[in-house]
Amino acid sequence: MTDTSLKIEATSRSPEVHLDAANGTLSMSGESYPEDASAFFGPVFQAVAEHVAASEGQALTVDMRFIYFNSSSAKAIMNLFQMLEEAAEDGKTITINWYFDPEDDMMEEMGEDFAEDFEHATFNLKPETEDA
Amino acid sequence: MTETSRKAESDFTLFDSEDRVLEHASTILDGLEETTDLIKTLTTAYKRAVKDQKRMVRLCDRMQEELIAVKERLEGEVKARAELAEQFRMQAITDGLTQVFNRGHFLELCNHELKARSRTEAPLSVALLDIDHFKSINDTYGHAAGDEALRVVARTLENSLRQSDVVCRWGGEEFSLLMPRTNSENASGLADRLRKTLSEIVIKEGGTSFSLTASFGVATMVGPNPACKATGADAIDLLFKDADDALYEAKGAGRNKVITAKARLLETAEAVD
């Protein structure tokens, strides 16, 4: 089995991304307004798609912790979620945890909004205080 | 077999056009199914696109609202800072108790006036005034009464001066006046009017009331300014030394008086003469 892991360090404009193929986890956290959203998210999609294809029978847990994201990043997140929902529809066990600061209404609303798209994957809204 | 094919051939001959129509219709129907599937796929994609668009519009609206909120908060902060900066600026140049200029800022204005008269050589007058027996006001009526006396004197001076004149708290119970473009005679007259006004006010504090008097020393600078900048500050110092000497003389002569020093023709100018 090829290792499809991916690790991207956070910058002031882009989130940290970590796909741990062995443990079946994907995490994204921080702020997201990269200069070129396609260039940033392209390799992430590719890695996730390859991992999903190569890890039949393995569950995937996705942890999202965003402070802020711009419109392009929102579109990228929607595409990623669609890909995950389709994989779940095909039988893969997928859990998505949407972490947000309880004082951040916008992130909460976005999470609630995204939650509506999932029928096959599990989507959890997780309020999380910073010192928790 | 030959029989069958012949029969089929004959059927074919009889219903040739109908068969062709049916065949054509069937082909069209097959195509319709394909088209329907395509339309279904397109509709699904379109629904998803519409949902995405609605979400993006909501997100953009939300972000704009956040931006407006941030902008308003920033504007409020900028305004508060500007007000604070102005408050600090005023505090730095104002005497806290009397709210007239402090000595530092007053001397800056004096130097500014000195520069302003370099071409016109207009007379420049100053006056120093000291509240008579201020210590006994404090001793008799208390420090709060003394503070109120200083405030009332400051306000009275401010209200009685011309627009171009400046008053400051020189220190303790002493005040100073700057009278640009005012000759010795007019400065002396103005000082005497102020002396009279001050002697007529009644100060009320803590249930008691009292009046006070003040002594004035007036000095005037005439002729050209000193040749170099370094002696400019000295020229102002000399002017106030003259005013201080005159004030001392007024105190010696029984107080509640205006003494005017002889108009000072600057030494450099005297040397030219």
Side-chain angles (χ1 to χ4, degrees):
Chain A
M1 192 168 112
T2 51
D3 183 16
T4 49
S5 290
L6 174 77
K7 176 107 194 201
I8 302 171
E9 295 297 333
T11 71
S12 61
R13 305 189 56 156
S14 63
E16 184 195 281
V17 179
H18 187 202
L19 173 64
D20 184 340
N23 291 311
T25 58
L26 167 68
S27 67
M28 295 177 82
S29 61
E31 301 198 52
S32 184
Y33 48 107
E35 269 182 48
D36 185 344
S38 304
F40 180 82
F41 285 103
V44 178
F45 289 157
Q46 203 181 338
V48 174
E50 279 172 18
H51 172 74
V52 167
S55 62
E56 208 176 324
Q58 188 195 30
L60 176 64
T61 304
V62 181
D63 291 325
M64 308 289 261
R65 280 185 179 81
F66 280 107
I67 299 164
Y68 170 81
F69 51 80
N70 67 1
S71 308
S72 301
S73 303
K75 177 64 180 148
I77 293 166
M78 282 187 245
N79 290 358
L80 177 70
F81 283 173
Q82 193 183 313
M83 184 205 291
L84 295 172
E85 171 63 8
E86 279 163 11
E89 194 175 355
D90 290 344
K92 195 171 178 64
T93 305
I94 292 181
T95 308
I96 298 153
N97 297 312
W98 182 262
Y99 293 94
F100 60 93
D101 179 345
E103 284 180 19
D104 189 345
D105 295 343
M106 183 154 150
M107 278 304 146
E108 184 173 5
E109 279 173 34
M110 288 309 296
E112 286 166 358
D113 212 357
F114 288 140
E116 291 171 14
D117 294 345
F118 292 99
E119 253 183 72
H120 302 91
T122 309
F123 189 90
N124 302 314
L125 284 166
K126 300 225 168 185
E128 181 183 59
T129 45
E130 242 174 68
D131 47 15
Chain B
M1 194 179 166
T2 317
E3 189 86 352
T4 318
S5 69
R6 193 176 299 137
K7 196 182 177 188
E9 220 169 86
S10 68
D11 284 350
F12 179 75
T13 312
L14 274 176
F15 296 99
D16 186 28
S17 70
E18 287 83 350
D19 280 345
R20 262 191 287 124
V21 168
L22 276 175
E23 207 173 314
H24 191 202
S26 169
T27 310
I28 288 174
L29 274 174
D30 285 350
L32 267 182
E33 254 170 53
E34 219 172 275
T35 309
T36 308
D37 284 348
L38 185 64
I39 289 174
K40 276 182 186 163
T41 311
L42 279 175
T43 309
T44 309
Y46 182 72
K47 275 181 187 163
R48 187 173 286 156
V50 168
K51 197 165 71 181
D52 279 4
Q53 197 192 359
K54 282 181 183 169
R55 183 174 288 154
M56 293 306 283
V57 167
R58 274 202 300 279
L59 177 66
C60 285
D61 282 354
R62 221 22 239 265
M63 282 173 175
Q64 276 167 7
E65 274 170 32
E66 298 240 323
L67 270 182
I68 289 167
V70 167
K71 180 173 159 267
E72 279 170 0
R73 205 171 63 229
L74 276 180
E75 278 172 352
E77 269 174 33
V78 165
K79 195 166 164 259
R81 268 171 200 235
E83 280 167 5
L84 201 64
E86 177 59 15
Q87 204 180 316
F88 284 152
R89 195 188 71 82
M90 285 309 290
Q91 272 172 9
I93 63 171
T94 308
D95 172 61
L97 178 67
T98 60
Q99 294 300 306
V100 293
F101 288 137
N102 60 25
R103 186 168 173 162
H105 185 63
F106 179 80
L107 285 172
E108 270 180 35
L109 294 175
C110 287
N111 281 313
H112 180 76
E113 278 306 328
L114 185 72
K115 276 182 207 150
R117 72 181 290 281
S118 63
R119 206 176 309 163
T120 62
E121 295 181 14
L124 178 66
S125 291
V126 298
L128 282 175
L129 72 97
D130 186 276
I131 300 172
D132 297 327
H133 302 299
F134 185 71
K135 191 178 176 299
S136 77
I137 293 176
N138 272 334
D139 292 346
T140 312
Y141 304 103
H143 284 280
D147 285 352
E148 178 60 11
L150 290 169
R151 279 192 289 263
V152 170
V153 168
R155 211 156 53 232
T156 307
L157 292 172
E158 261 188 328
N159 293 341
S160 313
L161 287 173
R162 300 164 303 183
Q163 211 169 6
S164 54
D165 300 333
V166 182
V167 61
C168 91
R169 186 172 178 205
W170 191 252
E173 67 272 23
E174 266 187 289
F175 290 86
S176 182
L177 310 173
L178 169 66
M179 295 164 279
R181 298 175 299 282
T182 307
N183 63 25
S184 182
E185 194 187 347
N186 288 340
S188 184
L190 177 63
D192 202 55
R193 281 199 300 283
L194 292 172
R195 182 198 59 75
K196 193 164 173 294
T197 306
L198 289 178
S199 72
E200 286 164 356
I201 57 172
V202 177
I203 294 147
K204 297 186 179 99
E205 171 64 34
T208 59
S209 62
F210 57 92
S211 58
L212 52 74
T213 59
S215 302
F216 288 70
V218 178
T220 304
M221 179 192 288
V222 293
N225 274 359
C228 68
K229 267 188 182 171
T231 49
D234 294 345
I236 295 292
D237 283 349
L238 282 172
L239 194 62
F240 278 102
K241 190 185 176 304
D242 285 352
D244 200 38
D245 289 346
L247 171 62
Y248 187 75
E249 208 180 305
K251 289 280 186 186
R255 296 182 171 84
N256 191 20
K257 280 187 168 46
V258 173
I259 298 289
T260 304
K262 180 180 170 286
R264 180 180 279 272
L265 194 62
L266 292 163
E267 281 164 30
T268 46
E270 278 171 351
V272 173
D273 282 347

